[in-house]
Amino acid sequence: LYGNASGKSLPDLKVMAQQGNPQAMREVGAAYLSGNKVEQNTATAIEWLKKAGNAGDIPAMRALARTYSSGAGVTMDMAEAYK
């Protein structure tokens, strides 16, 4: 999740994510979550991971669950983790 599996640059991934690509949405979210090549921003990460999850990206759903269940950068929320 935290790597750039596609090998694309972050600007390219953002364009792809805005065009509806779930994997790109996940990778943009992961970049913001980890602060990889962009300033860390948990709120933006959660936004992109939710979009990817809503588009059916299972790794994004897992990342959201881990984030909410651990309270990593967000208030721990087990109900949100199980969504």
Side-chain angles (χ1 to χ4, degrees), residues 4-82:
N4 181 343
S6 68
K8 304 272 186 199
S9 69
L10 189 57
D12 287 344
L13 286 170
K14 285 182 178 181
V15 169
M16 292 169 60
Q18 291 167 344
Q19 292 173 343
N21 181 302
Q23 180 182 352
M25 292 175 193
R26 172 177 26 97
E27 292 193 27
V28 170
Y32 279 105
L33 192 61
S34 67
N36 184 18
K37 298 184 181 182
V38 68
E39 186 174 338
Q40 186 175 18
N41 185 323
T42 304
T44 300
I46 296 296
E47 178 184 326
W48 279 112
L49 291 172
K50 281 184 177 181
K51 287 179 182 182
N54 289 337
D57 189 86
I58 293 171
M61 293 176 201
R62 288 186 190 129
L64 281 168
R66 280 192 305 270
T67 301
Y68 280 113
S69 66
S70 69
V74 296
T75 301
M76 187 182 292
D77 186 337
M78 294 308 287
E80 192 68 32
Y82 285 105

